[in-house]
Amino acid sequence: MPANASETGSRLITLLASLMLVLQLLVVVQRMLITNIRLFALQSLLLASIATVVAFAYGAWHVLVIAVLTLIGKVLFLPWLLERLVRRIKIEQELRPFVNMPASMLICGALTVLSYVVARPFTALERLGSNTLGVAITLLLTGFFLMINRRKALTQVLALLTTENGVILAAIALTTYGIPLIVELAIFFDVVVAVMVLGILVFRIRESFDSMDVSKLNELKW
Amino acid sequence: MKELALIAVPFVAAIAALLWPKDETRPWLLPATGVVHVALTMWLLIAPPPVEPMAWVAFDPLARAVLPAVSVLFLACAAYAVSYLRLRSERPNRVFVACLLAVLGLLSAGHQARHLGLLWIATEAVTLAAVPLLHFNNTGRAFEATWKYLLVGGTGIALSLLGSFCLGYASLHGGGGGDLTFVALTAQGAGLSRPWVLTAWVLLLVGYGTKMGLAPMHTWKPDAYGEAPGIVGALLAGAVTTVAFTAVLRVRAVVDAAGAGVVAGRTLIVIGLFSMLVAALFLLGTRDFKRMLAYSSVEHMGILSLGAGLGGAGVWAALFHVWTNALTKGAVFLSAGNIRRAGGGRTQDEVAGMAILTPVSARIFVVCMLAITACPPFGPFFSELRILRAAFADGQGAVAAVFLAALLFAFLGLSRLVFAIVDGRPRAAAKKTDRRFRETAGVIVPPLVLLGLSLWLGVATPSVLQEAWTAAVQALFPLP
């Protein structure tokens, strides 16, 4: 593999990963549910592009499978399904998070800094620009924050999916070092989460809970 | 070949269950598979097969030390399930039976997995296969429990996957090939990159700890155990948690070989004691006896984690405790299921006087309560005594003191609630509910047999099991 191809690839990946991070922060401050779903689709598209770039730049062709799966599953199918669900059951469009927007933004900023601090000792030898792992950990942590902060069942699903994007990003970043089987595991993970999400939706959320408000899923205590 | 049959037989039976035409006869597939599975594991326990070092799936010493317990528990639950599903004939059982069998197959795969990735796949597939089991009752509360289970479980899945990646990278960074078999990772030992190993340890412990239900990752557990049928609770508490525990043990062996064993041991002790204390406090407060069992399970997972943190003798005791916990938990969940069915409620406000309504189940329930709170001469007493001895031998007096305090609180909490349910006069509501419920042999014998086995393990631990546990400890932590 030519050295400058992987050099360009590395820069491109850093750029795309940073864009994923920006989109994640937009998700944190975005109030409308539909926009949230679209932002997630866009973020997944970036993930698919990173996978494609890795596949070409490092000749790791099996990573293309992740790119294709992400494109079909998380850019097209799941957002379509979620949007249809939102429209059909006419749930309230505006989200009311527990922590208000400026405070969430600050918390997520702090989480980003924390992730970079955590990733620092490990990135010295990284091939993929030192950013990717930091971004992956940020996606993971802010995904957890979103999961805690949002009331709607659907937005928790979205948060779980962005968390998953973070893990897959880490998987792609590590693949370039040639750990065998990582891609296969990541693919399996993709499938598991997709099944879980579909399972949640198939459980006829509507029939059981009209509002899909998780703060009303609180009958079980003690 | 027998080790692969352990995985294949349940899957074939699961497919058969999906194709089986009649709801009435389908549950018989469960005990049939259970008998075959127990026969195979017992054969392998007594005559362990040679283990090919690089094999991904093998009946290795650790699988030999734990998997037969899962198998026995499954057989008892399967026998109970035949009567249970007859009582619940209003619900279709096709998916339920198939998923139970799939869970058994995946558990066999998880216990025998010698590859980090394969282990992860098996454990997470168990999570998915258990979802229809939790949702069997199809109520709003069951849905809420399933929702929490999926969301918390999904987070655990993500973290353990990231941990697996980190362990692979630790190998690569240290100059290895990134081979994720436990044999290769352990062989690389101190060559593994230390910061990556520690990151991997934290992520894997949190990820698999979520599956075990260690505090503070236990939040799905009370809901899931509270809403699921008794057999599902028994299998989750006694079998599914053990596969996560063996995962933690296998990863710990790698971390030990990498020279970070002290850190790993300390985290296991802290998280174990924390789980025990949290569970004990909730046990003192809860009024719902099915959620009580969940907190008790959190407590026992804490005991396992504590044992695993205390070095060789502690791991031996923890393997012993896996057995006693599986058998006793099985008995207590099944008898609690009977009481729930006959009493028509789950809290001490709704249910009382069960000694009059269901005399046999109530007696079994009380004896089980004594057994899981470590009263002699039942199995848990002896396994917990071993853990206590390991703590003292390790010079950890403070740990032993916290351990005993948590056990005492748990005993107070459990006995308070159990006697509130068993004693007194039956509530008027209970007379109206479920008149079909009778204490037939089908719902009495399985918990009784499990309780008897727990007693037998306590007073006369079979030497073949002791030898299996010793072999497992030696295989995990070879003496330097």
Side-chain angles (χ1 to χ4, degrees):
Chain A
M1 124 186 75
N4 60 346
S6 75
E7 177 88 357
T8 324
S10 169
R11 287 201 187 138
L12 205 54
I13 287 161
T14 310
L15 178 70
L16 291 170
S18 318
L19 282 177
M20 279 181 83
L21 182 59
V22 171
L23 282 180
Q24 180 80 347
L25 294 178
L26 277 179
V27 169
V28 173
V29 293
Q30 180 50 244
R31 281 173 184 278
M32 305 306 283
L33 190 49
I34 293 278
T35 324
N36 259 326
I37 295 171
R38 293 192 180 147
L39 283 173
F40 163 74
L42 205 56
Q43 192 189 46
S44 309
L45 183 65
L46 288 173
L47 182 69
S49 334
I50 291 180
T52 317
V53 172
V54 166
F56 280 98
Y58 298 97
W61 299 109
H62 53 313
V63 182
L64 272 182
V65 180
I66 292 191
V68 171
L69 267 185
T70 309
L71 196 66
I72 295 172
K74 286 196 289 194
V75 181
L76 301 173
F77 179 64
L78 282 179
W80 170 77
L81 191 74
L82 292 174
E83 269 195 42
R84 209 181 65 137
L85 198 73
V86 168
R87 289 188 200 289
R88 199 186 50 179
I89 63 181
K90 298 191 184 64
I91 54 174
E92 201 186 340
Q93 275 290 311
E94 197 169 340
L95 308 168
R96 281 165 303 152
F98 291 104
V99 180
N100 67 18
M101 294 299 174
S104 327
M105 194 68 193
L106 275 179
I107 292 173
C108 288
L111 289 176
T112 312
V113 174
L114 179 73
S115 317
Y116 273 82
V117 172
V118 170
R120 179 173 291 273
F122 306 120
T123 49
L125 290 159
E126 256 203 88
R127 273 204 250 160
L128 278 188
S130 54
N131 257 321
T132 325
L133 197 69
V135 172
I137 298 175
T138 312
L139 289 183
L140 200 71
L141 291 181
T142 45
F144 289 156
F145 173 73
L146 281 175
M147 216 182 280
I148 300 166
N149 195 28
R150 296 281 165 88
R151 293 167 209 255
K152 301 276 183 197
L154 245 180
T155 47
Q156 291 195 337
V157 171
L158 272 181
L160 184 66
L161 286 168
T162 51
T163 312
E164 195 214 351
N165 274 354
V167 175
I168 305 264
L169 184 62
I172 296 171
L174 294 177
T175 310
T176 47
Y177 303 101
I179 304 178
L181 271 176
I182 293 280
V183 173
E184 286 76 0
L185 286 180
I187 291 167
F188 185 77
F189 182 50
D190 236 4
V191 174
V192 166
V193 172
V195 170
M196 279 169 63
V197 171
L198 291 178
I200 290 167
L201 299 177
V202 171
F203 275 142
R204 302 177 303 274
I205 295 177
R206 172 82 190 291
E207 275 85 330
S208 306
F209 295 92
D210 292 332
S211 70
M212 299 221 304
D213 190 334
V214 188
S215 55
K216 286 188 191 136
L217 289 184
N218 59 0
E219 211 179 310
L220 298 175
K221 274 182 186 157
W222 285 92
Chain B
M1 270 350 272
K2 287 194 281 294
E3 56 266 33
L4 290 180
L6 283 179
I7 304 169
V9 168
F11 276 117
V12 172
I15 293 167
L18 282 178
L19 300 175
W20 201 272
K22 285 178 89 77
D23 262 13
E24 296 84 55
T25 43
R26 190 181 298 115
W28 287 102
L29 279 169
L30 291 167
T33 316
V35 167
V36 174
H37 202 268
V38 167
L40 281 170
T41 46
M42 288 304 152
W43 187 356
L44 286 166
L45 174 69
I46 291 160
V51 176
E52 209 176 304
M54 293 314 284
W56 281 22
V57 176
F59 199 78
D60 63 357
L62 187 55
R64 180 174 170 233
V66 178
L67 189 54
V70 172
S71 191
V72 170
L73 175 63
F74 182 87
L75 179 58
C77 291
Y80 183 91
V82 174
S83 310
Y84 175 76
L85 289 172
R86 197 178 297 136
L87 283 170
R88 300 295 309 271
S89 50
E90 82 280 5
R91 299 275 308 144
N93 62 29
R94 182 186 300 266
V95 176
F96 186 79
V97 172
C99 282
L100 268 180
L101 290 165
V103 164
L104 179 66
L106 291 165
L107 285 175
S108 313
H111 277 293
Q112 298 188 77
R114 292 161 60 78
H115 183 280
L116 194 57
L118 189 66
L119 176 64
W120 180 81
I121 289 177
T123 324
E124 304 325 339
V126 171
T127 309
L128 281 187
V131 168
L133 303 181
L134 292 178
H135 201 244
F136 181 66
N137 287 327
N138 204 23
T139 58
R141 292 165 66 104
F143 171 78
E144 182 181 337
T146 314
W147 168 260
K148 285 185 187 167
Y149 173 77
L150 273 177
L151 212 61
V152 179
T155 321
I157 289 174
L159 289 175
S160 48
L161 180 62
L162 201 60
S164 308
F165 292 164
C166 288
L167 208 51
Y169 191 64
S171 152
L172 213 60
H173 199 195
D179 188 347
L180 288 179
T181 52
F182 289 105
V183 175
L185 287 169
T186 315
Q188 206 181 342
L192 293 166
S193 154
R194 193 178 158 92
W196 282 101
V197 166
L198 292 179
T199 319
W201 167 245
V202 171
L203 290 170
L204 286 167
L205 182 63
V206 173
Y208 286 116
T210 311
K211 185 111 290 257
M212 271 175 84
L214 290 169
M217 292 85 76
H218 69 286
T219 45
W220 59 273
K221 217 169 187 177
D223 300 348
Y225 289 11
E227 300 309 319
I231 21 174
V232 177
L235 277 177
L236 283 176
V240 175
T241 49
T242 58
V243 76
F245 178 64
T246 51
V248 169
L249 278 182
R250 284 185 200 270
V251 173
R252 197 208 145 158
V254 172
V255 177
D256 245 24
V262 179
V263 183
R266 209 178 295 144
T267 43
L268 280 171
I269 290 173
V270 169
I271 205 166
L273 286 179
F274 182 69
S275 303
M276 290 185 70
L277 284 174
V278 167
L281 290 178
F282 276 98
L283 279 172
L284 286 173
T286 184
R287 302 177 73 78
D288 178 327
F289 65 89
K290 286 193 85 171
R291 295 171 78 79
M292 166 192 88
L293 298 183
Y295 287 117
S296 166
S297 173
V298 173
E299 182 212 347
H300 284 268
M301 289 305 119
I303 295 173
L304 287 182
S305 166
L306 175 66
L310 287 171
V315 174
W316 196 94
L319 291 172
F320 187 4
H321 195 71
V322 165
W323 278 76
T324 57
N325 174 54
L327 299 176
T328 322
K329 272 281 150 46
V332 76
F333 268 98
L334 296 184
S335 56
N338 290 347
I339 291 177
R340 155 81 189 76
R341 191 125 280 277
R346 309 184 326 177
T347 61
Q348 64 183 72
D349 311 310
E350 299 163 299
V351 181
M354 295 315 289
I356 299 168
L357 288 177
T358 51
V360 185
S361 298
R363 282 192 187 113
I364 298 176
F365 194 48
V366 170
V367 177
C368 283
M369 186 276 292
L370 293 174
I372 53 170
T373 50
C375 293
F378 291 97
F381 170 74
F382 292 96
S383 51
E384 288 171 29
L385 191 65
R386 293 260 183 180
I387 289 177
L388 197 63
R389 269 173 55 187
F392 278 121
D394 218 25
Q396 311 252 26
V399 169
V402 178
F403 175 72
L404 286 176
L407 283 184
L408 177 66
F409 285 132
F411 175 72
L412 291 176
L414 279 163
S415 53
R416 168 191 66 89
L417 188 48
V418 167
F419 285 116
I421 284 162
V422 170
D423 287 342
R425 297 169 65 82
R427 299 269 195 271
K431 298 197 175 102
K432 279 181 273 175
T433 56
D434 218 341
R435 291 209 161 272
R436 281 184 305 162
F437 185 81
R438 288 216 180 74
E439 293 193 294
T440 52
V443 297
I444 292 300
V445 173
L448 211 53
V449 167
L450 285 174
L451 196 61
L453 285 174
S454 165
L455 183 65
W456 180 47
L457 271 187
V459 292
T461 320
S463 59
V464 60
L465 283 180
Q466 298 200 23
E467 185 255 316
W469 298 328
T470 312
V473 173
Q474 274 165 1
L476 282 175
F477 308 105
L479 290 174

